């Protein structure tokens, strides 16, 4: 909830002329005055305009979004659903409810505020449809399910406002596609509906205005800019001796981080992955000599565990909380006075969001500490600080809406009531992601829902829609309605097993592939506890607490990619020695020796080094396109090396470089990086790997072809995978042009491989490549080469082994003879 300036600027009219007495009195009692952008949002609402608010964290965006609603409901009390608030996170919806209820109770007005997410009990969900609150806080997925009920039309008929918080977090992805389609449906049910979006980190405001507006007409959306806040105070933590050569977690700084926790009221420690969060929590606990209360929060923990730690933070009972992206958006815990980012932030927008969790006040600087894991990450951290200081945000990339999401939305609409195809097409086209959708493609989507497609139409289980004599599309059988509501959703997690104690208490979930590596008696850390496996079956991992040493769960999924803006700034650092005076001595020396022994790439240049070491021949390309793109490129390059007789052994990569190694030297790297690699090796590789099957699994689940949940029973991940693999093989053989195969290809290319960045790299490689042939490893190559030994080293000794290998490589690389 916002904190407002205590002195009213002279250009703002008296509050009692703008707000109803109850609301004006509440502000006066607090000694607050609405900010200019909050009143601008009120003005836009009274004019009936849609609005996009871009304002810094702590500027009172949430109140700005709700202020018109509060005014209307105080001035003209009414029953029924008035305002929908849509959040990307369940935790954020719960936090907003808590912070809205307090002022409503203090004003003594009769306004009901409730949440509706996947965690809401079913009896409350049923009551909400029959007697909705005036303000309902929800997520895109829960809103889509609400639309699927026959009472959706009367429920939403009086809806006046939809407020989309942290719009940048999902507008450009599949969840944004689902929400855009839901808004088009709501606009049809409530033509006077006003759309509002809020964000602190929007680089392309006009792009979001177009996404928000009906029919993409940005002139119908008022852009409101918030006041600038106090500049954040950000430090980069450095080890007592040297910045590490390898690693990406910053674990070396656990004692330093614990010291910061001891000197602050409440600290949020952000990690980029769930596995790292578990690891850092254990490291901090070992360094926690004062036994301060510390919690952990990530998406794989059970709902009860997450709610418990959220409430403990709200009550001020924790001194620190280790968290992932599950809490880096908008959650307002007023006592947080420090944010620590473990490892590099990967983007300036994400860093600003996380920094904003500290103090959460516009007029007070947020304090943050970055803990880089290695020398490249130090440069990345410095680049992120410079970007924040310059007000540079990461680019927003809008793309056409996904067809599997469209199929799910059309099924939801049919569950509510029959529809005419031409009217539905016009409605869908009013959503920006689907504005270019043609009638032929729309008909293909309808046909897919109606019979599954040519290769599957013989099976009744895929005949979900029927076109009646009246020309309307309707659900073929009531069982498909229940199937849709059980299985709808956009987030398709990897197959998981529940982690439970013997008494049935659930701790959360781990992914099946990790569970497959465990046997009874094995131990692993989860939810901050060392656990021993007692037994396991197809759905459950039964455990007990232990004090034995344990490993950390690992999770499948693409890593956060290094943003193009930060990559560009890191390249600039490498090329400009004038910048090096800002760096620690060991980082400066690293670059100076690299400059003397090899070369440093200019911006836009692709440096490729080749050198022998211990009977192998190495090629390292410094492309700075992110781990995801480099993983794909490594697969392709090693395949081409094999075809050229270079006898590749393997490859490793980080966000900054790709290293391939084999038994024969690479004398012409340009031949390995030609653009036609995407036309030949890429297609062959994707079709022959599990990548496309994983993508197909996701679109098949989202599109409703395969259900995850049966009445009273959830399918195991293996069962879902078996079903999707079977259908995939049938379609590949008999209907290669099937709608979902096309959608899977789009996912595999655009999301799973960062193929756009890969294509750009290959397009410029021929003209910008600088090949340097060396007699031994270079300093710049050390951070990526250390990774070669990672997979073959036992978990308990990984760090020690990597440290030894890094020192050996570094000693060799830094010699000047």
């Amino acid at each position: 909830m916002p904190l407002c300036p205590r002195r009213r600027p002279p250009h703002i009219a008296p509050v009692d002329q703008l707000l109803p007495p109850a609301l004006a009195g509440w502000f006066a009692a607090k000694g607050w005055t609405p900010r200019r952008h909050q009143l601008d949002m009120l003005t836009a609402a009274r004019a009936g305009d849609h609005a996009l608010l871009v304002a810094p964290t702590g500027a009172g965006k949430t109140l700005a979004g709700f202020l018109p609603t509060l005014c209307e409901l105080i001035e003209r009390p009414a029953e029924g659903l008035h305002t929908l608030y849509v959040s990307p996170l369940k935790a954020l919806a719960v936090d907003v409810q808590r912070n809205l209820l307090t002022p409503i109770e203090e004003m003594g007005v009769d306004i009901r505020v409730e949440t509706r997410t996947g965690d809401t009990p079913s009896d409350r969900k049923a009551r909400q449809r029959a007697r909705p609150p005036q303000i309902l806080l929800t997520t895109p997925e829960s809103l889509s399910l609400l639309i699927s009920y026959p009472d959706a039309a009367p429920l939403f008929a009086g809806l006046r406002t939809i407020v989309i918080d942290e719009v940048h977090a999902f507008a450009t992805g599949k969840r944004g596609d689902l929400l855009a389609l839901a808004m088009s449906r709501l606009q049809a049910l409530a033509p006077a509906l006003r759309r509002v979006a809020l964000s602190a980190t929007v680089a392309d405001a006009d792009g979001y205005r177009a996404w928000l507006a009906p029919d993409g007409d940005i002139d119908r959306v008022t852009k409101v800019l918030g006041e600038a806040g106090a500049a954040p105070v950000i430090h980069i933590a450095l080890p007592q001796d040297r910045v590490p050569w390898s690693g990406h977690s910053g674990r070396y700084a656990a004692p330093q981080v614990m010291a910061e926790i001891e000197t602050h009221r409440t600290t949020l420690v952000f990690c980029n992955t769930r596995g790292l969060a578990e690891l850092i929590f254990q490291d901090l606990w070992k360094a926690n000599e004062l036994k301060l209360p510390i919690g952990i929060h990530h998406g794989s923990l059970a709902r009860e565990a997450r709610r418990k730690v959220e409430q403990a933070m709200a009550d001020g009972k924790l001194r620190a909380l280790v968290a992932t992206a599950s809490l880096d958006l908008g959650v307002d815990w007023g006592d947080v006075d420090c944010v620590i980012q473990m490892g590099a932030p990967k983007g300036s927008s994400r860093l600003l969001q996380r920094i904003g969790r500290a103090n959460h006040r516009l007029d007070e600087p947020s304090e943050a500490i970055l803990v880089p894991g290695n020398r490249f990450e130090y440069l990345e951290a410095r680049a992120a600080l410079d970007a924040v200081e310059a007000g540079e945000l990461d680019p927003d990339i809008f793309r056409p809406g996904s067809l599997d999401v469209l199929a799910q939305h059309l099924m939801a609409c049919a569950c509510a009531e029959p529809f005419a195809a031409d009217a539905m097409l016009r409605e869908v086209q009013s959503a920006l992601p689907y504005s270019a959708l043609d009638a032929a493609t729309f008909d293909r989507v309808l046909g897919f829902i109606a019979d599954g497609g040519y290769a599957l139409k013989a099976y009744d289980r895929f005949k979900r829609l029927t076109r009646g004599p009246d020309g309307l599309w309707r659900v073929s059988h009531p069982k498909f309605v229940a199937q849709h509501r059980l299985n709808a959703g956009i987030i398709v997690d990897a197959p998981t097993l529940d982690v439970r104690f013997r008494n049935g208490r659930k701790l959360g979930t781990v992914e099946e592939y990790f569970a497959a590596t465990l046997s009874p008696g094995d131990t692993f850390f989860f939810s901050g506890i060392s656990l021993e496996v007692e037994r396991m079956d197809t759905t459950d991992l039964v455990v007990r607490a232990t004090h034995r040493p344990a490993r950390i769960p690992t999770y499948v999924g693409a890593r956060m990619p290094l943003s193009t803006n930060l990559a560009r700034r890191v390249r600039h650092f490498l090329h400009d020695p004038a910048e090096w005076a800002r760096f620690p001595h060991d980082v400066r020396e690293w670059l100076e020796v690299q400059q003397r022994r090899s070369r440093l790439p200019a911006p836009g240049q692709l440096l490729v080094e080749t050198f022998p070491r211990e009977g192998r021949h190495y090629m390292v390309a410094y492309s700075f396109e992110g781990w995801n793109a480099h993983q794909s490129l490594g697969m392709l390059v090693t395949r081409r090396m094999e075809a050229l007789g270079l006898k590749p052994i393997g490859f490793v990569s980080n966000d900054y470089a790709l290293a391939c190694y084999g038994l024969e030297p690479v004398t012409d790297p340009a031949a390995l990086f030609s653009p036609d690699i995407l036309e030949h090796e890429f297609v062959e590789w994707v079709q022959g790997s599990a990548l496309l099957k994983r993508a197909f699994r996701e679109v098949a689940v989202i599109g409703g072809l395969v259900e995850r949940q049966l009445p009273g029973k959830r399918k195991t991940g293996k069962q879902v995978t078996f079903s999707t693999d079977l259908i995939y093989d049938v379609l590949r053989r008999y209907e290669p042009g099937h709608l979902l195969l096309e959608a899977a290809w789009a996912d595999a290319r655009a999301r799973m491989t960062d193929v756009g960045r890969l294509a750009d790299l290959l397009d410029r490689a021929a003209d910008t490549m600088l090949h340097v042939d060396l007699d031994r490893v270079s300093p710049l190559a050390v951070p990526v080469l250390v990774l070669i030994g990672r997979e073959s080293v036992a978990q308990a000794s990984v760090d020690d082994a990597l440290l030894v290998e890094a020192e050996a490589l570094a000693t060799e690389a830094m010699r000047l003879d």
Side-chain angles (χ1 to χ4, degrees), residues 324-381:
T324 61
S326 61
L327 287 183
D328 68 2
L329 294 173
V331 179
D332 177 11
W333 287 312
D335 210 34
V336 174
D337 59 340
C338 183
V339 165
I340 297 177
Q341 166 68 42
M342 303 301 296
K346 302 303 169 191
S348 57
S349 296
R350 180 179 296 109
L351 178 59
L352 272 175
Q353 283 289 339
R354 292 181 170 182
I355 291 172
R357 307 283 66 79
N359 282 331
H360 213 76
R361 296 170 178 87
L362 186 66
D363 304 319
E364 298 182 20
S366 301
E367 181 181 353
I369 300 171
L370 305 185
V371 184
N374 60 56
R375 299 183 181 203
F376 269 123
E377 284 203 349
Y378 173 85
L379 299 181
E380 183 185 333

Coordinates of all heavy atoms in Angstrom, one line a residue, residues 324-381:
T324 N 13.1 -16.6 -4.6 CA 13.3 -16.6 -6.0 C 12.4 -15.6 -6.7 O 11.9 -14.7 -6.0 CB 13.0 -18.0 -6.7 OG1 11.6 -18.3 -6.4 CG2 13.9 -19.1 -6.0
A325 N 12.1 -15.7 -8.0 CA 11.2 -14.8 -8.6 C 9.8 -14.9 -8.1 O 8.9 -14.0 -8.4 CB 11.2 -15.0 -10.1
S326 N 9.5 -15.8 -7.2 CA 8.2 -16.0 -6.6 C 7.8 -14.8 -5.8 O 6.7 -14.6 -5.4 CB 8.1 -17.2 -5.7 OG 9.1 -17.2 -4.7
L327 N 8.8 -13.9 -5.4 CA 8.5 -12.7 -4.6 C 9.1 -11.5 -5.1 O 9.2 -10.5 -4.4 CB 9.0 -13.0 -3.2 CG 8.3 -14.0 -2.3 CD1 8.9 -14.0 -0.9 CD2 6.8 -13.6 -2.2
D328 N 9.6 -11.4 -6.4 CA 10.3 -10.2 -6.8 C 9.3 -9.2 -7.5 O 9.8 -8.2 -8.1 CB 11.5 -10.5 -7.7 CG 11.1 -11.1 -9.1 OD1 9.9 -11.2 -9.3 OD2 12.0 -11.4 -9.8
L329 N 8.0 -9.4 -7.4 CA 7.1 -8.4 -8.0 C 6.1 -7.9 -7.0 O 5.3 -8.6 -6.4 CB 6.3 -9.1 -9.1 CG 7.1 -9.6 -10.3 CD1 6.1 -10.4 -11.2 CD2 7.6 -8.4 -11.1
G330 N 6.3 -6.6 -6.6 CA 5.2 -5.8 -6.0 C 4.9 -6.2 -4.6 O 4.1 -5.4 -4.0
V331 N 5.3 -7.3 -4.0 CA 5.0 -7.6 -2.6 C 5.6 -6.6 -1.7 O 6.8 -6.3 -1.7 CB 5.4 -9.0 -2.2 CG1 5.1 -9.3 -0.8 CG2 4.8 -10.0 -3.2
D332 N 4.7 -6.0 -0.8 CA 5.1 -4.8 0.0 C 5.2 -5.3 1.5 O 4.2 -5.4 2.2 CB 4.1 -3.7 -0.1 CG 4.4 -2.5 0.7 OD1 5.5 -2.5 1.3 OD2 3.5 -1.6 0.9
W333 N 6.4 -5.5 1.9 CA 6.7 -5.7 3.3 C 7.5 -4.5 3.8 O 8.7 -4.4 3.5 CB 7.5 -7.0 3.5 CG 6.6 -8.2 3.3 CD1 5.4 -8.4 3.9 CD2 6.9 -9.4 2.5 NE1 4.9 -9.6 3.4 CE2 5.8 -10.3 2.6 CE3 8.0 -9.7 1.8 CZ2 5.8 -11.5 2.0 CZ3 8.0 -10.9 1.1 CH2 6.9 -11.8 1.2
G334 N 6.8 -3.6 4.5 CA 7.4 -2.3 4.8 C 8.7 -2.3 5.6 O 9.4 -1.4 5.6
D335 N 9.0 -3.4 6.3 CA 10.1 -3.4 7.2 C 11.4 -3.9 6.5 O 12.5 -4.0 7.1 CB 9.9 -4.3 8.4 CG 10.6 -3.8 9.7 OD1 10.8 -2.6 9.8 OD2 11.1 -4.7 10.5
V336 N 11.3 -4.3 5.2 CA 12.5 -4.7 4.5 C 13.3 -3.5 4.2 O 12.9 -2.5 3.6 CB 12.1 -5.4 3.2 CG1 13.3 -5.7 2.3 CG2 11.3 -6.7 3.4
D337 N 14.6 -3.5 4.7 CA 15.4 -2.4 4.4 C 16.7 -2.7 3.7 O 17.6 -1.9 3.5 CB 15.8 -1.7 5.8 CG 16.5 -2.7 6.7 OD1 16.4 -3.9 6.6 OD2 17.2 -2.2 7.7
C338 N 16.8 -4.0 3.2 CA 18.0 -4.4 2.3 C 17.6 -5.5 1.4 O 16.9 -6.4 1.9 CB 19.1 -4.8 3.2 SG 20.7 -5.2 2.3
V339 N 18.0 -5.4 0.2 CA 17.9 -6.5 -0.8 C 19.2 -7.0 -1.2 O 20.1 -6.1 -1.5 CB 17.0 -6.1 -2.0 CG1 17.2 -7.1 -3.1 CG2 15.6 -5.9 -1.6
I340 N 19.5 -8.3 -1.3 CA 20.7 -8.8 -1.7 C 20.5 -9.8 -2.9 O 19.6 -10.6 -2.8 CB 21.5 -9.6 -0.6 CG1 21.8 -8.6 0.6 CG2 22.7 -10.3 -1.1 CD1 22.4 -9.3 1.8
Q341 N 21.2 -9.5 -4.0 CA 21.0 -10.4 -5.2 C 22.2 -11.3 -5.2 O 23.4 -10.9 -5.4 CB 21.0 -9.5 -6.4 CG 21.2 -10.3 -7.7 CD 20.0 -11.2 -8.1 OE1 18.9 -10.9 -7.9 NE2 20.4 -12.4 -8.5
M342 N 22.0 -12.6 -5.1 CA 23.0 -13.6 -5.2 C 23.2 -14.0 -6.7 O 22.3 -14.4 -7.4 CB 22.7 -14.9 -4.4 CG 22.4 -14.6 -3.0 SD 23.7 -13.8 -2.0 CE 25.0 -15.1 -2.1
G343 N 24.5 -13.8 -7.2 CA 24.7 -14.0 -8.6 C 24.3 -12.7 -9.4 O 23.7 -11.8 -8.8
A344 N 24.6 -12.7 -10.6 CA 24.3 -11.5 -11.5 C 22.8 -11.4 -11.7 O 22.1 -12.5 -11.8 CB 25.0 -11.6 -12.8
P345 N 22.3 -10.2 -11.9 CA 20.8 -10.0 -12.0 C 20.3 -10.4 -13.4 O 19.1 -10.6 -13.6 CB 20.6 -8.6 -11.8 CG 21.9 -7.9 -12.1 CD 23.0 -8.9 -11.8
K346 N 21.1 -10.4 -14.4 CA 20.8 -10.8 -15.8 C 20.0 -9.7 -16.6 O 19.8 -9.8 -17.8 CB 20.0 -12.1 -15.9 CG 20.7 -13.3 -15.3 CD 22.1 -13.5 -15.9 CE 23.0 -14.4 -15.2 NZ 24.4 -14.4 -15.8
G347 N 19.5 -8.7 -15.9 CA 18.8 -7.6 -16.6 C 18.5 -6.5 -15.6 O 18.3 -6.7 -14.4
S348 N 18.5 -5.3 -16.2 CA 18.4 -4.1 -15.3 C 16.9 -4.0 -14.8 O 16.7 -3.5 -13.7 CB 18.7 -2.8 -16.1 OG 18.0 -2.7 -17.3
S349 N 15.9 -4.4 -15.6 CA 14.5 -4.3 -15.2 C 14.3 -5.2 -14.0 O 13.7 -4.8 -13.0 CB 13.6 -4.6 -16.3 OG 13.7 -3.7 -17.4
R350 N 14.8 -6.4 -14.1 CA 14.6 -7.3 -13.0 C 15.3 -6.8 -11.7 O 14.8 -6.9 -10.6 CB 15.2 -8.7 -13.3 CG 15.1 -9.8 -12.2 CD 15.6 -11.1 -12.6 NE 14.8 -11.7 -13.7 CZ 15.3 -11.8 -14.9 NH1 16.5 -11.4 -15.2 NH2 14.5 -12.3 -15.9
L351 N 16.5 -6.2 -11.9 CA 17.2 -5.7 -10.8 C 16.4 -4.6 -10.1 O 16.3 -4.5 -8.9 CB 18.6 -5.2 -11.2 CG 19.5 -4.5 -10.1 CD1 19.7 -5.5 -9.0 CD2 20.8 -4.0 -10.7
L352 N 15.9 -3.7 -10.9 CA 15.1 -2.6 -10.3 C 13.9 -3.1 -9.6 O 13.5 -2.6 -8.5 CB 14.6 -1.7 -11.5 CG 15.6 -0.5 -11.8 CD1 15.0 0.2 -13.1 CD2 15.7 0.4 -10.7
Q353 N 13.2 -4.2 -10.1 CA 12.1 -4.7 -9.4 C 12.5 -5.3 -8.1 O 11.8 -5.1 -7.1 CB 11.5 -5.9 -10.3 CG 10.6 -5.4 -11.4 CD 9.3 -4.8 -10.9 OE1 8.8 -5.0 -9.8 NE2 8.7 -4.0 -11.8
R354 N 13.6 -6.0 -8.0 CA 14.0 -6.6 -6.8 C 14.5 -5.6 -5.8 O 14.2 -5.6 -4.6 CB 15.1 -7.7 -7.1 CG 14.5 -8.8 -7.8 CD 15.6 -9.9 -8.1 NE 14.9 -11.1 -8.6 CZ 15.4 -12.3 -9.0 NH1 16.8 -12.4 -8.9 NH2 14.7 -13.3 -9.4
I355 N 15.3 -4.6 -6.3 CA 15.7 -3.5 -5.4 C 14.5 -2.8 -4.8 O 14.6 -2.4 -3.6 CB 16.6 -2.5 -6.2 CG1 17.9 -3.1 -6.6 CG2 16.8 -1.2 -5.4 CD1 18.7 -2.2 -7.5
G356 N 13.5 -2.7 -5.5 CA 12.3 -1.9 -5.0 C 11.6 -2.6 -3.9 O 10.7 -2.0 -3.2
R357 N 11.9 -3.8 -3.6 CA 11.3 -4.5 -2.4 C 11.9 -3.9 -1.1 O 11.3 -4.2 0.0 CB 11.6 -6.0 -2.4 CG 11.2 -6.7 -3.7 CD 9.7 -6.9 -3.9 NE 8.9 -5.7 -4.0 CZ 8.7 -5.0 -5.1 NH1 9.3 -5.3 -6.2 NH2 7.9 -3.9 -5.1
A358 N 13.0 -3.2 -1.2 CA 13.6 -2.6 0.0 C 13.0 -1.2 0.3 O 13.0 -0.4 -0.7 CB 15.1 -2.5 -0.1
N359 N 12.6 -0.9 1.5 CA 12.0 0.4 1.9 C 10.6 0.6 1.3 O 9.7 1.0 1.9 CB 12.9 1.5 1.7 CG 14.0 1.6 2.7 OD1 13.8 1.2 3.8 ND2 15.1 2.1 2.3
H360 N 10.5 0.3 -0.1 CA 9.2 0.5 -0.7 C 8.6 1.8 -0.5 O 7.4 2.0 -0.3 CB 8.2 -0.6 -0.3 CG 7.3 -1.1 -1.3 ND1 7.7 -1.9 -2.4 CD2 6.0 -0.8 -1.6 CE1 6.7 -2.2 -3.2 NE2 5.6 -1.5 -2.7
R361 N 9.5 2.8 -0.4 CA 9.0 4.2 -0.3 C 9.7 5.1 -1.4 O 10.9 5.0 -1.6 CB 9.4 4.8 1.1 CG 8.7 4.0 2.3 CD 9.3 4.5 3.6 NE 8.6 3.8 4.7 CZ 8.9 2.6 5.2 NH1 9.9 1.9 4.6 NH2 8.3 2.1 6.2
L362 N 8.9 5.9 -2.0 CA 9.4 6.7 -3.1 C 10.4 7.7 -2.7 O 11.4 7.9 -3.4 CB 8.2 7.4 -3.8 CG 8.5 8.2 -5.1 CD1 8.9 7.2 -6.2 CD2 7.3 9.0 -5.5
D363 N 10.3 8.2 -1.5 CA 11.2 9.3 -1.1 C 12.5 8.8 -0.4 O 13.3 9.6 0.0 CB 10.4 10.3 -0.2 CG 9.2 10.8 -0.9 OD1 9.3 11.1 -2.1 OD2 8.1 10.9 -0.2
E364 N 12.6 7.5 -0.2 CA 13.7 7.0 0.5 C 14.5 6.0 -0.4 O 13.8 5.2 -1.0 CB 13.3 6.3 1.8 CG 12.7 7.2 2.8 CD 12.3 6.4 4.1 OE1 12.9 5.3 4.3 OE2 11.5 6.9 4.9
P365 N 15.8 6.1 -0.5 CA 16.5 5.2 -1.4 C 16.4 3.7 -0.9 O 16.5 3.4 0.3 CB 17.9 5.7 -1.3 CG 18.0 6.4 0.0 CD 16.7 7.0 0.3
S366 N 16.3 2.9 -1.9 CA 16.3 1.4 -1.6 C 17.8 1.0 -1.5 O 18.6 1.5 -2.3 CB 15.6 0.6 -2.7 OG 14.3 1.0 -2.8
E367 N 18.1 0.1 -0.6 CA 19.5 -0.3 -0.5 C 19.6 -1.8 -1.0 O 18.8 -2.6 -0.7 CB 19.9 -0.3 1.0 CG 21.4 -0.7 1.2 CD 21.8 -0.7 2.6 OE1 21.1 -0.2 3.5 OE2 23.0 -1.2 2.9
A368 N 20.6 -2.0 -1.8 CA 20.8 -3.3 -2.4 C 22.3 -3.6 -2.5 O 23.1 -2.8 -2.6 CB 20.1 -3.4 -3.8
I369 N 22.5 -4.9 -2.5 CA 23.9 -5.5 -2.6 C 23.9 -6.6 -3.7 O 23.1 -7.5 -3.6 CB 24.4 -6.0 -1.3 CG1 24.4 -4.9 -0.2 CG2 25.8 -6.6 -1.4 CD1 24.7 -5.4 1.2
L370 N 24.8 -6.5 -4.6 CA 25.0 -7.5 -5.6 C 26.2 -8.4 -5.3 O 27.2 -7.9 -4.9 CB 25.2 -6.9 -7.0 CG 24.1 -5.9 -7.5 CD1 24.4 -5.5 -8.9 CD2 22.7 -6.5 -7.4
V371 N 26.0 -9.7 -5.4 CA 27.1 -10.6 -5.1 C 27.4 -11.4 -6.4 O 26.8 -12.4 -6.7 CB 26.7 -11.6 -4.0 CG1 27.9 -12.5 -3.6 CG2 26.2 -10.8 -2.8
P372 N 28.4 -10.9 -7.2 CA 28.7 -11.6 -8.4 C 29.4 -12.9 -8.1 O 30.2 -13.0 -7.2 CB 29.6 -10.6 -9.2 CG 30.2 -9.8 -8.1 CD 29.1 -9.7 -7.0
G373 N 29.1 -13.9 -9.0 CA 29.7 -15.2 -8.8 C 31.1 -15.4 -9.4 O 31.9 -16.2 -8.9
N374 N 31.5 -14.6 -10.4 CA 32.8 -14.7 -11.0 C 33.1 -13.4 -11.7 O 32.4 -12.4 -11.5 CB 32.8 -15.9 -12.0 CG 31.8 -15.7 -13.1 OD1 31.7 -14.7 -13.8 ND2 30.9 -16.7 -13.3
R375 N 34.2 -13.4 -12.4 CA 34.7 -12.1 -12.9 C 33.9 -11.6 -14.1 O 33.7 -10.4 -14.1 CB 36.2 -12.3 -13.4 CG 37.1 -12.7 -12.2 CD 38.5 -12.9 -12.6 NE 39.2 -13.3 -11.3 CZ 40.5 -13.2 -11.1 NH1 41.3 -12.6 -12.1 NH2 41.1 -13.6 -10.0
F376 N 33.3 -12.4 -14.9 CA 32.4 -11.9 -15.9 C 31.1 -11.4 -15.2 O 30.6 -10.4 -15.6 CB 32.0 -13.1 -16.9 CG 32.8 -13.1 -18.1 CD1 33.5 -14.3 -18.4 CD2 33.0 -12.0 -18.9 CE1 34.3 -14.4 -19.6 CE2 33.7 -12.1 -20.1 CZ 34.4 -13.3 -20.4
E377 N 30.7 -12.1 -14.1 CA 29.5 -11.6 -13.4 C 29.8 -10.3 -12.7 O 28.9 -9.5 -12.5 CB 29.0 -12.6 -12.5 CG 28.3 -13.8 -13.1 CD 27.3 -14.5 -12.2 OE1 27.4 -14.3 -11.0 OE2 26.5 -15.3 -12.7
Y378 N 31.1 -10.0 -12.3 CA 31.4 -8.7 -11.8 C 31.1 -7.6 -12.8 O 30.5 -6.6 -12.6 CB 32.8 -8.6 -11.3 CG 33.2 -7.2 -10.9 CD1 32.9 -6.8 -9.6 CD2 33.7 -6.3 -11.8 CE1 33.1 -5.4 -9.2 CE2 33.9 -5.0 -11.4 CZ 33.6 -4.6 -10.1 OH 33.8 -3.3 -9.8
L379 N 31.6 -7.9 -14.1 CA 31.4 -6.9 -15.1 C 29.9 -6.8 -15.4 O 29.4 -5.6 -15.6 CB 32.1 -7.4 -16.4 CG 33.6 -7.5 -16.4 CD1 34.1 -8.0 -17.7 CD2 34.3 -6.2 -16.0
E380 N 29.1 -7.9 -15.3 CA 27.7 -7.8 -15.5 C 27.0 -7.0 -14.4 O 26.1 -6.2 -14.7 CB 27.1 -9.2 -15.6 CG 25.6 -9.2 -15.9 CD 25.0 -10.6 -15.9 OE1 25.7 -11.6 -16.1 OE2 23.8 -10.7 -15.6
A381 N 27.5 -7.2 -13.2 CA 26.9 -6.4 -12.1 C 27.2 -5.0 -12.2 O 26.3 -4.1 -12.0 CB 27.5 -7.0 -10.7

